[in-house]
Amino acid sequence: MIYLICYAVTGLACVLGTICGMGGGIIIKPVLDATGVMTVDTITFLSGCTVISMSCWSVGKAVYRREDVLDMKKTPILAFAAAAGGLIGKEVYSAVAGFFPDRNTAGGVQACLLFAATFATLLYTVKKDRLTPRESDSQAAGFIIGLILGMLGAFLGIGGGPFNVAALTYFFSMPTKKATQNSLFVVLMSQLASTIKTVISGGIPDFDPVILLGMVLLGIFGSEIGRRVNKCIDNRQANLFLEGCMVLIMGINIYNIFKYLG
C-alpha cells in the first residue's frame, strides 16, 4: 500500500505542478505528510531527491536544446546563494526537529510556514496585474533573494514552488517562462546542497530504495506529461490551475498543522 500511495501522489503531483508551473515537491511533501505513511524526516528526504531529479531533467533539456531561458547575468549569483541557503535551511530544519521530543512535530512547523508562503503567493497571483514589477540589477539583492529562496525550499523539503516564480517575476521583471526555468535552477542548487549535506553528515533516514527509484521516475514522467498539457492550455486556464492548486495545498497544510501541532 505504501508503494501505491507514494507513486500515485508523486505522479499526480508532478503532472499538476508542471501544468501550473509550481513544481511537484510543493504538493508531494504536504500530501505524504497528511497520509502519515512515513516519518516527516523520510518524506522530506524523498521529496527533496525527487525534486532534484525533476529539476536536473528540466534544466538539462533546456541546456541541451540551447533554449535561451536562463538569465546568465542573474542566474550564477542566484544559484550560489541558493546553494548557501540550502545548507542553512537544512541546519535550521535539523535544529527545529531536534527541539521537539517527537521529530515528526517539525512537520507542523513546516506546514505553518508553507501555508503562509502559499497564501502570500496566492495574494500576489491575484493582484499581480495591479503591481509594478521591479528591475533589480543589484548583485546584493540577487544574493539575498536567492539565499532566502534556497533556505525556504530546503527547510520545507519541497525545493521551490510558486513563491520562487513570484519572487523572480516581481523583483527581476522576468517573463514567466524565464522565471520558471531560473526557479528550477535555484531549486536544483538548493536541494542538491541540502541533500549532499544530509549524505555527508550521515543523516539519511531509513527508506526503501525501490520507493525512491519509483518516485524519481514518476516525477520525471509526470513532469513530462504536465509540460505537454501545459502547451495545450491558455494562460487563463493555467492561472486557474495554479490558484486551485494553491488553495488545495493550503487546505492540506491546515490539516497537517492540526495533525502535528493540535
Side-chain angles (χ1 to χ4, degrees):
M1 179 62 72
I2 185 174
Y3 296 91
L4 180 61
I5 292 174
C6 290
Y7 295 163
V9 169
T10 300
L12 183 59
C14 293
V15 171
L16 291 176
T18 306
I19 289 174
C20 56
M22 65 193 301
I26 193 172
I27 303 176
I28 294 172
K29 176 67 171 63
V31 172
L32 288 183
D33 278 346
T35 64
V37 293
M38 292 177 285
T39 65
V40 170
D41 284 350
T42 302
I43 293 171
T44 298
F45 182 78
L46 294 178
S47 175
C49 290
T50 304
V51 166
I52 288 173
S53 66
M54 291 172 57
S55 302
C56 278
W57 178 264
S58 297
V59 173
K61 284 185 67 175
V63 173
Y64 176 75
R65 294 177 177 179
R66 298 182 180 179
E67 297 176 2
D68 184 24
V69 290
L70 294 180
D71 189 325
M72 296 315 296
K73 183 177 179 180
K74 300 182 178 71
T75 297
I77 189 69
L78 284 168
F80 176 77
L87 295 175
I88 297 172
K90 187 63 180 178
E91 282 291 329
V92 174
Y93 171 77
S94 297
V96 170
F99 179 78
F100 299 103
D102 181 0
R103 288 181 63 89
N104 282 334
T105 308
V109 179
Q110 289 177 313
C112 288
L113 186 55
L114 183 53
F115 175 87
T118 305
F119 180 69
T121 306
L122 179 60
L123 289 180
Y124 170 78
T125 303
V126 172
K127 296 179 178 294
K128 66 180 178 180
D129 292 338
R130 307 174 198 172
L131 301 174
T132 303
R134 300 176 181 273
E135 182 59 66
S136 176
D137 291 322
S138 168
Q139 290 189 340
F143 182 85
I144 292 172
I145 291 169
L147 187 71
I148 293 173
L149 293 178
M151 289 174 59
L152 189 60
F155 179 83
L156 296 175
I158 63 171
F163 38 83
N164 274 24
V165 177
L168 295 177
T169 54
Y170 178 72
F171 289 106
F172 301 111
S173 295
M174 288 186 187
T176 301
K177 183 177 180 180
K178 181 166 284 192
T180 300
Q181 290 298 328
N182 280 270
S183 171
L184 287 173
F185 200 77
V186 169
V187 166
L188 174 60
M189 298 307 295
S190 168
Q191 284 300 310
L192 198 57
S194 173
T195 302
I196 289 175
K197 184 180 186 307
T198 300
V199 173
I200 293 176
S201 64
I204 301 177
D206 293 330
F207 65 90
D208 186 342
V210 175
I211 292 180
L212 175 59
L213 179 61
M215 288 178 67
V216 166
L217 293 177
L218 281 168
I220 294 173
F221 182 67
S223 65
E224 276 296 299
I225 294 177
R227 185 178 62 83
R228 297 186 183 190
V229 173
N230 181 268
K231 290 182 178 180
C232 300
I233 62 178
D234 57 31
N235 286 329
R236 184 185 66 83
Q237 292 170 321
N239 283 332
L240 288 175
F241 263 109
L242 176 60
E243 292 169 8
C245 282
M246 284 194 282
V247 171
L248 175 63
I249 290 166
M250 287 190 293
I252 294 171
N253 277 292
I254 290 174
Y255 172 80
N256 286 336
I257 291 170
F258 283 100
K259 175 182 177 181
Y260 291 114
L261 299 178

